[in-house]
Every structure is written in C-alpha cells, then in structure tokens.
Amino acid sequence: MSALHQHDPEIAACIARELERQEDGLELIASENFVSPAVMEAAGSVLTNKYAEGLPGKRYYGGCVHVDDAENLARSRARALFGCDWVNVQPHSGASANLAIYLAFLKPGDTLLGLNLSHGGHLTHGSPVNFSGLLYKAEFYGVEADGPLEGRIDMDKVRDQARAVKPKLISIGASAYSRDFDYAAFRAIADEVGAFLWMDMAHTAGLIATKLLNDPMPHCHVVSTTTHKTLRGTRGGMLLLGKDYENPFGKTAPKSGRLKMMSELLDSAVFPGVQGGPLMHIIAAKAVAFGEALRPEFSTYCKSVIANASAMAAAFSSLGYRIVSGGTDNHLMLLDLSSRNITGKAAEEALSRAHITVNKNMVPFDRNSPLVTSGIRLGTPAMTSRGFTQEDFRRVVGMMDRVLCVPTDETVAAQVKGEVLALCRERPLYRS
Ligand SMILES: *Cc1c(COP(=O)(O)O)cnc(C)c1O
C-alpha cells in the first residue's frame, strides 16, 4: 500500500488503524468474516475501471471481453457451489438483491409475510423504516415465547398467519435466528395460499453450500444471499433460482420455459430495475471467494464454525446464561441478558473495552428499545477463519463472563484485554 501511503496518508492511516483493530481484537459479530488476500487483490484491481451494464455477451458497452470471462467464472462457480441452474452475481449487496426480488414479483401494496425483525428477521423483510415495509403491506410471523418451541418458529402458526393475510410473497431467512428452517413445510404453506417462496440465506450461505444446513434450493422459488458472511467473500449480494421454477401465478410452461421467464424477470429487476453498472472488481472477487468455497478446506472450515458455535453456547449455558432457543444449529446465538442486570448496550460497551467486538441485539419479546436491547448476538465465522478452536472459544466465554459480571470494572476489562491481545498474537490474521 505504499502508493496510497504517499498519495493520501490520511486514508492510509485510517486503514492501518483498522487493520490493527482487526488484528488485536476478538471479532464476534455474527455477520462478519475475514476474506483472503486473494479476494482483496481482486477487489482492489483494475476491473474497477470498467463499465459493463448488461450481462456477459449482451453488454451496453464495448471492451467487456475480459470482464465477461470474470463474470462467467463467478456464475459457473456459484451454480456449482449451490447446485442451481441460474444465478445473478451483480447485486451490490444483500439489500439490493432483495430489492430486485420485490421489484420482480410484487406490485406496491402487495402483501408480504416475513419473520418479525425483533424476532431475528431482517430490515428488508418488511420493516416499516425500510422500502419493504414502506412500499408493501408487511405482515409477520415470529418465534415462540415459551414451551417446547421456545425461540423457534411454530410452522402451524405460520400456516394460520398465511391463511389469514394471504401474502403474495413469503420470506424465510434471518439475521439473528440460531435454528434451521423447514423449507418443505414453508413450501406447502406457500402452495396452499398461492404465494411465492423466497429464502434469504445471507447469513448461512456458506453452511448451506457445504450441506451442513438444510438446502432451500429444491423448495424455494427464489433465493438471495450476501457473499460476505459465512460465505467469506467480498461484500456483495447474489440471486439464485432453485430447482423448482414452478411459479405461483398459474403458468404451465415447460420447465425450461419457466426458468427463462423467472430468470429474465430477475435479471431485468437487477439491471435496469434497481442498479446501473455492475461492480466488475467485486464480481471478480466474488469469483475468487466461490472458488475458495468449492475447495474441501472450506467444508472443514464450515464444520468448525458450527462446532465452535455449539461449544460457545454450551459454555455460556453452563455458566448460567440463557441462550434464546437453548442453543444453536448454525454459526450464531443470541445471549439473553435480561435476567442479569445488564443491557445489551452496556454489554457491548463493556466487552469493547476488552477488545471483544459484539453487537447488542433485541431478543424475542424484548422490553428494551432497539437502541438498548436485552441481548447480544454472537457468531463464530470470523474467529474460526483465524483458526480459533473449540478450546479457544471456551476460553473466550470465560473472559467474556468475567467482563459481563462486573461491566463497569476497568481493572477487569484491562486484564481481559491483555489476555485477548495474547490470544490474538498467537493467531495472526494478515500479519505473519
Ligand atoms: C445481512 C443481511 C442482509 C443485507 O445485506 P447487506 O449486504 O448488508 O445489504 C439481508 N438479509 C439478511 C437476512 C441479512 O442477514
């Protein structure tokens, strides 16, 4: 980075300080991860100079032959990774991918049924402050407050809610839900009410690609994802069509005709519907990450992500903490601090003094506001990329507990910070 250092020392210094923060801290934000130097190299390449509106072979600009090759590689690797017949790798982010789905399949005012934001859902699934709640009629299902399905979705209630509100689109997918989804049950409900079924696997894409979680592809009409969470690629989004293109609008075209219809709808929703030129450097970086995810090491990594999350949840439980739903099937968990005399906000702040980064998060039926909250969300993808084992995560839980027991104690925070720094130096991230 010597060019940047000489050309713009102020920004170079920001980046250097951020690198140091990443090296010297425990990153437990469930939506974050660390990309490889190869992914960063592609993202920082000359492909940023190229305009390429359109799709490979059908561009509105000349000079696209090499970026066409890069986008075709991204597409074929993504199809291989998820076993699907069509993808669009151009969405700039998860939210842009989702916007394209609404544009393709709904009209403003149509009804959507999604997971309640305060029960783990995402803003783009109907929140009143997001386009999805502003332009469409958003209805919600949630998780159970108690009983055998505590913290989990009761599919009978989803069915009742779908019958009552008759949605045109049902969304699955979450930002803070630690259990797997029953896609076949969702599909039966969607078929019954004539809705279109969409899975947003932004968080779990890596775990789905490696078959460690249920596969939405055979059951959902459309799937969206980010590429930067468990998939461990550059920041970005993507759309995929599963193995079932039967559309809920009563069309009876042959299978190949349905694929064409659905893919054309989605392609034109991405461009020119919601985006202009695709970010070709980012698409190349996505291709690099998909290539990495196709290797056996990525499967091993994803298995460790889940094993580490289970170990972490078990360690918190044995110290008397409440985990929403009692544990986790995936890479994340929600720690409910409401019985422990500390808010999510205070926990986030106290842990950050010890160089442990988490985010405050609403727990289902939270009595605190979204800016305060009663919980924190924890995830293992980033530190597992750094080589942390189950034993490391158990140590981390012990360190977090010491801080959370006396959140305003500066001495304890300083001691734990010292241990965090030692642990980080044992497992360097980009420094060698
Ligand atoms: C992270 C996330 C998104 C949004 O991704 P961005 O790239 O931040 O726009 C969408 N849906 C779900 C479920 C997510 O977790």
Side-chain angles (χ1 to χ4, degrees):
M1 296 225 301
S2 58
L4 182 60
H5 192 77
Q6 286 182 8
H7 186 76
D8 191 334
E10 285 174 301
I11 282 293
C14 295
I15 296 173
R17 288 195 300 270
E18 173 59 14
L19 171 62
E20 201 168 305
R21 191 194 66 82
Q22 292 183 17
E23 289 281 357
D24 289 344
L26 300 182
E27 184 52 75
L28 298 176
I29 293 180
S31 50
E32 292 189 13
N33 212 330
F34 299 119
V35 300
S36 70
V39 168
M40 280 192 278
E41 205 172 309
S45 69
V46 295
L47 270 58
T48 193
N49 297 332
K50 190 69 199 99
Y51 244 113
E53 282 177 355
L55 288 164
K58 289 176 276 184
R59 303 286 193 187
Y60 292 86
Y61 287 82
C64 288
V65 0
H66 307 301
V67 294
D68 275 8
D69 289 345
E71 184 163 348
N72 279 329
L73 278 169
R75 296 202 293 186
S76 61
R77 289 176 186 176
R79 286 194 304 266
L81 197 53
F82 293 99
C84 61
D85 294 339
W86 174 92
V87 297
N88 184 312
V89 296
Q90 294 190 354
H92 301 330
S93 66
S96 300
N98 294 352
L99 183 50
I101 289 178
Y102 285 87
L103 188 66
F105 299 114
L106 297 186
K107 291 192 180 58
D110 280 350
T111 302
L112 133 97
L113 176 62
L115 177 61
N116 192 328
L117 177 67
S118 65
H119 291 199
H122 190 260
L123 284 166
T124 54
H125 295 223
S127 158
V129 296
N130 182 263
F131 76 87
S132 56
L134 290 165
L135 302 181
Y136 305 93
K137 186 167 186 309
E139 301 282 354
F140 299 99
Y141 56 89
V143 301
E144 295 300 293
D146 42 39
L149 290 177
E150 179 276 309
R152 298 176 191 243
I153 296 164
D154 180 342
M155 293 310 295
D156 290 337
K157 293 200 177 156
V158 177
R159 184 182 305 104
D160 292 345
Q161 178 72 337
R163 283 175 179 162
V165 306
K166 305 227 176 337
K168 196 155 171 204
L169 176 68
I170 297 177
S171 73
I172 322 174
S175 299
Y177 185 64
S178 64
R179 298 301 179 175
D180 207 351
F181 296 103
D182 183 346
Y183 299 108
F186 270 105
R187 179 55 188 261
I189 294 168
D191 284 344
E192 183 189 324
V193 301
F196 198 78
L197 188 62
W198 156 41
M199 167 61 180
D200 177 353
M201 59 174 185
H203 260 262
T204 48
L207 312 178
I208 287 170
T210 47
K211 311 242 174 298
L212 299 167
L213 292 178
N214 295 335
D215 187 1
M217 294 301 161
H219 306 286
C220 297
H221 296 103
V222 66
V223 176
S224 64
T225 187
T226 65
T227 48
H228 50 274
K229 297 179 184 175
T230 52
L231 202 46
R232 202 163 64 177
T234 184
R235 198 153 288 280
M238 173 161 69
L239 289 168
L240 311 89
L241 285 175
K243 281 283 175 197
D244 183 351
Y245 326 117
E246 205 176 316
N247 70 80
F249 309 125
K251 302 265 165 57
T252 50
K255 193 171 177 184
S256 61
R258 295 199 301 265
L259 176 60
K260 189 163 182 290
M261 185 188 79
M262 298 276 280
S263 59
E264 283 175 358
L265 265 175
L266 287 164
D267 279 335
S268 58
V270 173
F271 171 83
V274 301
Q275 290 186 175
L279 310 175
M280 299 317 296
H281 54 308
I282 296 302
I283 288 172
K286 287 174 185 171
V288 175
F290 300 155
E292 291 174 356
L294 283 165
R295 295 190 194 133
E297 302 88 280
F298 186 72
S299 213
T300 311
Y301 160 72
C302 287
K303 280 184 194 135
S304 303
V305 165
I306 293 179
N308 288 341
S310 299
M312 199 177 195
F316 272 117
S317 297
S318 72
L319 290 171
Y321 287 82
R322 190 179 98 81
I323 311 270
V324 173
S325 87
T328 178
D329 296 331
N330 58 26
H331 63 298
L332 66 76
M333 70 210 71
L334 263 181
L335 213 57
D336 178 0
L337 300 167
S338 51
S339 63
R340 294 189 76 101
N341 226 359
I342 180 172
T343 64
K345 181 173 189 278
E348 177 187 306
E349 286 164 3
L351 290 166
S352 115
R353 282 195 287 277
H355 284 207
I356 300 173
T357 313
V358 306
N359 66 280
K360 61 178 176 286
N361 210 102
M362 303 276 275
V363 296
F365 313 99
D366 207 318
R367 264 164 283 170
N368 283 320
S369 79
L371 287 174
V372 178
T373 81
S374 305
I376 52 175
R377 184 184 67 161
L378 304 169
T380 55
M383 295 318 288
T384 305
S385 288
R386 237 175 131 158
F388 272 45
T389 62
Q390 294 178 47
E391 194 43 50
D392 293 326
F393 275 99
R394 282 189 278 268
R395 276 172 71 189
V396 168
V397 169
M399 285 150 62
M400 291 174 72
D401 176 52
R402 277 154 58 205
V403 173
L404 293 174
C405 286
V406 283
T408 54
D409 189 319
E410 298 289 338
T411 319
V412 169
Q415 273 168 2
V416 171
K417 177 180 154 187
E419 291 167 41
V420 166
L421 289 176
L423 204 52
C424 289
R425 301 225 159 106
E426 275 173 38
R427 301 188 192 282
L429 174 56
Y430 296 113
R431 280 184 199 133
S432 42

